[in-house]
Amino acid sequence: MNWAFLQGLLSGVNKYSTAFGRVWLSIVFLFRVMVFVVAAEKVWGDEQKDFKCNTAQPGCHNVCYDHFFPVSHVRLWALQLIFVTCPSFLVVMHVAYREDRERKNRLKHGENCRRLYKNTGKKRGGLWWTYVLTLVFKIVVDVTFVYLLYRIYEGYDFPSLIKCSEKPCPNQVDCFIARPTEKRIFTIFMVVTSLVCVLLSCIEIIYLVGKRCHECFTNIHHSRHVMATASGQTGSLVEANTLRLTGKGTPETPAPSYSVAIA
């Protein structure tokens, strides 16, 4: 695994994420990817070889194993991690697209031209929708895989003894799973971390939508305040001009002379 390449991608994703997104990324990388690479593959590495049945009937061992383990946990988790982490890179690609548009605009109109974006990494417009849709997609993927794991294996438990009567087994045979307790612990751990990631993504969506609504209401209130202030100033100017014109149009009455007043 090329850790330098992975670090570059993760740093790019982390740069354009919110605080909740950074926590989500840390949980995925430390508690899901690292556990999967370091421990889970070793725990499930010998699952078929150490799956024992008390019969020597040819094909019975393989049929029973395929019946109880139609899909390997390791491969299912690998698909889940791929589908969960890849949408985050869409945000980085969207930001790169904005930066490329900004660069082409400067080349075409000069360095002092009007910018297309105030901040290419700020979540506004299409980038905001891209970010929110990636969160929704990650929630759907995690919930779907948790449900598939429960549906395929009929729960998250690993019994020590399994009864198998599939053909070509001659009768009901007993089969034993290697290290069932260890596999149960890892399965529950991966399910819990997936649900924690779902919770963080839901909180992040609520945060983004709430922040956006607050900004919209603030802008509307500010616009109304500016319009009211402008209308008040305009009314004051009109009233002042009216009074000025009225004062000019009214003739002044001269004061009576001294002799008229005495008479």
Side-chain angles (χ1 to χ4, degrees):
M1 180 179 290
N2 192 340
W3 291 104
F5 176 73
L6 181 61
Q7 182 182 3
L9 289 177
L10 292 177
S11 62
V13 174
N14 192 53
K15 182 179 179 181
Y16 305 113
S17 300
T18 63
F20 299 104
R22 295 186 183 98
V23 175
W24 180 92
L25 188 63
S26 300
I27 291 177
V28 169
F29 184 69
L30 295 177
F31 296 101
R32 296 178 69 177
V33 175
M34 293 297 292
V35 170
F36 173 78
V37 173
V38 175
E41 287 186 330
K42 294 182 179 179
V43 173
W44 269 269
D46 57 350
E47 53 181 336
Q48 187 171 4
K49 183 181 68 175
D50 291 343
F51 183 82
K52 303 295 183 182
C53 296
N54 59 353
T55 180
Q57 178 70 28
C60 181
H61 175 273
N62 293 333
V63 169
C64 290
Y65 177 81
D66 184 70
H67 176 72
F68 290 106
F69 298 99
V71 181
S72 172
H73 284 70
V74 174
R75 294 178 180 87
L76 198 64
W77 287 332
L79 287 175
Q80 182 182 2
L81 291 174
I82 290 172
F83 280 114
V84 162
T85 54
C86 284
S88 300
F89 300 134
L90 292 177
V91 178
V92 180
M93 294 172 62
H94 198 145
V95 174
Y97 167 74
R98 282 185 165 189
E99 292 175 348
D100 185 64
R101 284 194 63 191
E102 196 69 51
R103 180 183 59 82
K104 291 180 179 178
N105 183 62
R106 288 197 302 268
L107 290 175
K108 183 177 180 180
H109 301 287
E111 291 293 334
N112 297 324
C113 66
R114 183 175 178 271
R115 293 176 61 89
L116 298 176
Y117 308 98
K118 293 182 179 179
N119 185 359
T120 56
K122 194 171 184 179
K123 289 180 281 295
R124 291 291 182 274
L127 184 60
W128 187 89
W129 284 104
T130 300
Y131 195 91
V132 172
L133 290 177
T134 57
L135 292 176
V136 174
F137 183 80
K138 289 187 287 189
I139 291 173
V140 172
V141 168
D142 272 332
V143 172
T144 301
F145 274 90
V146 169
Y147 173 75
L148 284 177
L149 193 67
Y150 180 86
R151 186 72 176 177
I152 292 173
Y153 300 105
E154 299 179 356
Y156 308 117
D157 193 18
F158 281 85
S160 302
L161 176 63
I162 296 176
K163 301 289 185 178
C164 178
S165 57
E166 299 293 320
K167 293 181 180 181
C169 297
N171 48 28
Q172 190 178 62
V173 299
D174 296 333
C175 297
F176 304 92
I177 303 174
R179 294 185 294 223
T181 304
E182 190 175 11
K183 291 179 179 179
R184 184 186 307 116
I185 292 172
F186 273 102
T187 301
I188 294 175
F189 178 82
M190 295 296 283
V191 170
V192 170
T193 52
S194 298
L195 295 178
V196 170
C197 289
V198 170
L199 179 62
L200 285 173
S201 297
C202 292
I203 294 174
E204 190 172 7
I205 290 177
I206 295 173
Y207 167 76
L208 289 172
V209 173
K211 183 179 179 181
R212 188 61 177 165
C213 292
H214 176 72
E215 290 177 352
C216 291
F217 290 144
T218 303
N219 292 335
I220 292 174
H221 178 73
H222 179 70
S223 299
R224 289 180 178 177
H225 179 71
V226 171
M227 291 177 63
T229 305
S231 300
Q233 292 177 353
T234 303
S236 300
L237 291 174
V238 171
E239 185 178 356
N241 291 332
T242 304
L243 292 174
R244 190 180 300 111
L245 292 174
T246 303
K248 290 181 179 180
T250 304
E252 296 182 356
T253 304
S257 60
Y258 179 75
S259 60
V260 174
I262 293 298

